[in-house]
Amino acid sequence: MTDDTPDAEDEESPATEPAPADETTGEFGLDSSDDAAGGRDSIDTADIDLDDIVLDEPADEPDEASRGLFDDLLEGEPIFENKEVLRPSYTPHKLPHREEQINNMATILVTALRGDTPSNILIYGKTGTGKTASAKFVSEELETTSKKYEVPCEVQYINCEVTDTQYRVLTQLANKFIDENEQLVEEKLDALRDLRERAADARTDEESTDDLDDGPSVEAVLASDLDVSEGPFESIDDLDARIEKLETDYEEFEPAPMTGWPTDRVYQTFFDAVDYHERVVVIMLDEIDKLVEKSGDDTLYNLSRMNSQLDNSRVSIMGISNDLKFTEFLDPRVKSSLGEEEIVFPPYDATQLRDILQQRSEVAFKPDSLGDDVIPLCAAFAAQEHGDARRALDLLRTAGELAERDRTEKVHEEHVRKAQEKIELDRVVEVVRTLPMQSKLVLYATVLLEKNGVHNINTGEVFNIYKRLCEEIDADVLTQRRVTDLISELDMLGIVNAVVVSKGRYGRTKEISMSVPLEETEAVLLSDSRIGEVEDAQPFVQARFDN
């Protein structure tokens, strides 16, 4: 039994509390009466300088925040010298084990430096086989050589995974060429206006003096060799007419908006822009299969046929694809003109991947920052995934980042293994996050079953839980046959493992199990607001008859 009566100490405690500020107490709790209680000298608050008051800081509170959030992190020595060389966007000066493919591309594109139209090229190969890096390397060499020999030649790169419709492709190309044309016209106008001033000065000199040796004549000025491919002019009137024409051209340049125009108008804008002056253009379409998948082959048909209508310029297409069979879906006319030349990039083996990593690591890391087993292990992991150099580089970069976080002086084998787990988990998270809602519901039904201890899950059990989830969030219920197709798609993505097994006289069924971490997958699914509503759903597992 507790005694609710306050003891003596509790009764006296109010006397020790600070008195509220009033007319007899100053703002800082200073008693303004004349030595009323304790015989202290009275304090005149009017004489107190607020700047001289030092407030006591808590004695036990460490002053760690003053160091700043990143100070401790910056104390360690960095492992990286230049991390960017390990990213997919980096184009190296040398590409090991791709000399044959690079030479093939150069042999085809060299005709552009002679002012002729190169053959269209299709480049095939799985992810991480060096297709884009090799194509960009050759393109940079082509543009550098064209400037050296003063041949108008350029390469325009488009990632069709991002720019995946005919309208977007044409708009991006049109606006790029309009920008270049505007810059060209501005340079010409600057040179011609300067020439106009010099010609006017020469004419004034001629009219004001009889001595023809005082300066150049008007004819000599108009015959000057300009760096902008203009002239010579026979008269100042001809020069004025050319300036007026360029000014009109500049005013008529109209960039295409990202939406709102008819496609044929965008195409005409692109056509006029690319044909404004003489040049050879190579249009590099990376992930070209994504463009065909999203918007058909109309873009490729128009681009591959436009040379017959161009007066000044010539256009060639370089398509890059991970899908070796995507041309099967093309119109035969497009297929014949687009695939004039084909180059296949085979996967790298472990030895080749090791050479690539060794070359990049010499630039990416500080000396003696990698353990002996790091590069061979990265190469071995990537070789298992169809020889993916991009995966190998990601592994090496992520391992280095993990080593930096551990504040170690070297990257070790354990960092590579942790990087492998992290990259795989990141891939799963991204795949699951971008699944359609129906696929997410099927996957969540599988997760709930496995989470509740059900093993060798069959399609019927997944379908029963899937139906309940659809009812919970008011979603359409697909047929069991369609749900079976979705399970097959999840199997292809590597998220579940679905094996067809025979049940004897009961027929055949799919036995399903999760191929990815259960908790992480569930967390990604529950981050979807609609699925998050059924987080507490408990699956009903029907009785099963297993043979």
Side-chain angles (χ1 to χ4, degrees):
M1 179 176 177
T2 59
D3 188 0
D4 295 330
T5 306
D7 55 35
E9 181 178 348
D10 292 331
E11 290 176 348
E12 292 178 358
S13 60
T16 64
E17 294 178 3
D22 55 20
E23 62 272 12
T24 63
T25 305
E27 184 180 356
F28 299 94
L30 300 173
D31 191 348
S32 59
S33 61
D34 293 337
D35 200 17
R40 295 172 298 171
D41 293 333
S42 62
I43 301 176
D44 187 359
T45 58
D47 295 332
I48 294 176
D49 187 353
L50 297 180
D51 293 335
D52 295 331
I53 296 176
V54 178
L55 299 178
D56 291 334
E57 295 182 358
D60 298 332
E61 186 175 333
D63 188 20
E64 293 292 338
S66 63
R67 285 180 52 79
L69 179 62
F70 296 99
D71 289 334
D72 288 339
L73 299 175
L74 289 172
E75 283 183 352
E77 282 294 322
I79 289 178
F80 289 103
E81 188 75 53
N82 182 4
K83 191 190 298 186
E84 296 305 309
V85 302
L86 299 177
R87 298 192 184 277
S89 56
Y90 176 76
T91 303
H93 299 297
K94 183 180 179 183
L95 288 154
H97 307 292
R98 285 296 176 252
E99 292 82 3
E100 179 183 347
Q101 289 78 10
I102 288 173
N103 288 335
N104 287 344
M105 278 189 274
T107 303
I108 297 167
L109 295 175
V110 70
T111 56
L113 298 174
R114 303 188 183 106
D116 299 325
T117 308
S119 298
N120 296 324
I121 307 174
L122 275 181
I123 299 173
Y124 299 103
K126 292 186 177 181
T127 303
T129 52
K131 304 182 303 297
T132 302
S134 298
K136 285 185 174 181
F137 174 79
V138 173
S139 300
E140 290 175 4
E141 289 289 314
L142 180 66
E143 291 185 325
T144 301
T145 308
S146 70
K147 293 176 182 176
K148 176 181 176 181
Y149 291 102
E150 298 182 350
V151 178
C153 178
E154 61 185 277
V155 180
Q156 295 295 338
Y157 174 84
I158 293 181
N159 185 346
C160 296
E161 190 168 21
V162 179
T163 311
D164 58 355
T165 65
Q166 179 176 209
Y167 189 100
R168 290 176 183 173
V169 170
L170 294 176
T171 299
Q172 184 171 326
L173 288 171
N175 291 341
K176 179 64 177 177
F177 289 122
I178 286 173
D179 289 342
E180 292 181 0
N181 294 341
E182 287 178 341
Q183 183 178 351
L184 176 66
V185 170
E186 287 174 352
E187 293 174 357
K188 289 190 173 189
L189 283 173
D190 288 342
L192 293 181
R193 285 165 180 160
D194 178 69
L195 181 65
R196 178 66 175 81
E197 291 181 8
R198 289 190 285 121
D201 291 341
R203 183 167 61 182
T204 302
D205 291 342
E206 288 179 357
E207 293 173 352
S208 61
T209 179
D210 294 333
D211 189 356
L212 298 179
D213 294 333
D214 284 350
S217 64
V218 175
E219 291 77 7
V221 172
L222 294 176
S224 300
D225 185 16
L226 301 178
D227 293 333
V228 290
S229 302
E230 292 286 342
F233 299 96
E234 295 184 358
S235 66
I236 292 180
D237 290 340
D238 288 344
L239 176 57
D240 289 339
R242 180 57 179 160
I243 292 174
E244 183 179 353
K245 173 67 169 63
L246 288 172
E247 289 174 342
T248 302
D249 289 347
Y250 191 88
E251 292 173 358
E252 291 177 351
F253 291 142
E254 182 181 6
M258 294 310 296
T259 57
W261 279 10
T263 305
D264 56 351
R265 182 181 176 186
V266 180
Y267 176 78
Q268 189 60 48
T269 301
F270 157 67
F271 184 93
D272 294 339
V274 73
D275 204 34
Y276 183 72
H277 67 87
E278 182 180 354
R279 59 184 154 196
V280 177
V281 177
V282 178
I283 299 175
M284 190 193 306
L285 299 174
D286 200 359
E287 308 280 0
I288 189 173
D289 48 295
K290 299 292 173 55
L291 175 64
V292 175
E293 180 183 330
K294 180 73 176 286
S295 58
D297 57 10
D298 289 346
T299 310
L300 303 181
Y301 180 82
N302 290 330
L303 293 177
S304 62
R305 300 280 171 168
M306 67 185 300
N307 281 324
S308 60
Q309 301 171 317
L310 293 169
D311 294 325
N312 300 316
S313 61
R314 293 290 178 266
V315 172
S316 175
I317 301 172
M318 182 190 296
I320 304 173
S321 173
N322 299 328
D323 186 358
L324 300 175
K325 298 181 179 180
F326 97 96
T327 55
E328 295 178 2
F329 304 101
L330 297 178
D331 183 288
R333 296 169 297 175
V334 177
K335 185 176 179 179
S336 63
S337 60
L338 187 63
E340 294 173 337
E341 299 281 354
E342 295 185 352
I343 301 175
V344 178
F345 280 66
Y348 294 108
D349 60 32
T351 302
Q352 293 171 333
L353 289 172
R354 192 180 305 178
D355 293 340
I356 293 170
L357 293 177
Q358 187 65 46
Q359 180 208 41
R360 299 282 187 101
S361 66
E362 291 173 358
V363 183
F365 291 93
K366 291 184 177 295
D368 301 322
S369 294
L370 297 181
D372 294 337
D373 297 333
V374 169
I375 287 180
L377 187 58
C378 288
F381 277 138
Q384 294 172 3
E385 307 232 354
H386 61 256
D388 189 342
R390 189 176 302 176
R391 178 64 175 265
L393 293 168
D394 282 344
L395 263 175
L396 186 57
R397 176 179 53 80
T398 305
E401 291 172 347
L402 292 175
E404 275 194 340
R405 291 172 199 170
D406 290 345
R407 300 189 187 182
T408 60
E409 296 179 354
K410 273 192 172 186
V411 184
H412 297 290
E413 178 183 334
E414 64 188 64
H415 297 121
V416 178
R417 297 191 181 279
K418 288 181 181 178
Q420 169 78 345
E421 295 174 2
K422 181 179 183 299
I423 289 175
E424 182 60 26
L425 182 58
D426 289 346
R427 184 193 72 83
V428 171
V429 168
E430 182 62 23
V431 170
V432 173
R433 187 183 63 81
T434 55
L435 285 173
M437 177 54 67
Q438 291 288 349
S439 297
K440 285 183 177 180
L441 291 171
V442 172
L443 180 59
Y444 189 40
T446 309
V447 168
L448 288 173
L449 285 163
E450 193 155 307
K451 188 178 177 184
N452 281 265
V454 182
H455 301 292
N456 300 327
I457 304 165
N458 62 49
T459 308
E461 292 167 338
V462 172
F463 182 70
N464 288 336
I465 306 303
Y466 160 79
K467 282 196 301 183
R468 289 185 57 190
L469 294 175
C470 288
E471 293 167 1
E472 288 283 341
I473 66 172
D474 196 24
D476 294 336
V477 179
L478 302 178
T479 64
Q480 184 165 342
R481 186 179 186 87
R482 180 61 184 133
V483 169
T484 303
D485 292 339
L486 293 180
I487 292 172
S488 298
E489 292 176 8
L490 293 173
D491 183 26
M492 289 177 59
L493 290 170
I495 299 174
V496 301
N497 182 33
V499 180
V500 178
V501 296
S502 174
K503 294 292 184 180
R505 61 195 179 102
Y506 297 103
R508 295 191 306 169
T509 186
K510 280 187 175 180
E511 288 191 350
I512 306 152
S513 59
M514 295 293 296
S515 300
V516 294
L518 196 64
E519 293 182 2
E520 288 81 356
T521 305
E522 183 181 22
V524 177
L525 290 170
L526 293 177
S527 66
D528 188 301
S529 57
R530 294 188 69 186
I531 294 181
E533 298 172 3
V534 292
E535 180 178 353
D536 297 328
Q538 292 297 322
F540 170 74
V541 183
Q542 65 182 30
R544 298 184 301 150
F545 299 93
D546 294 334
N547 285 338

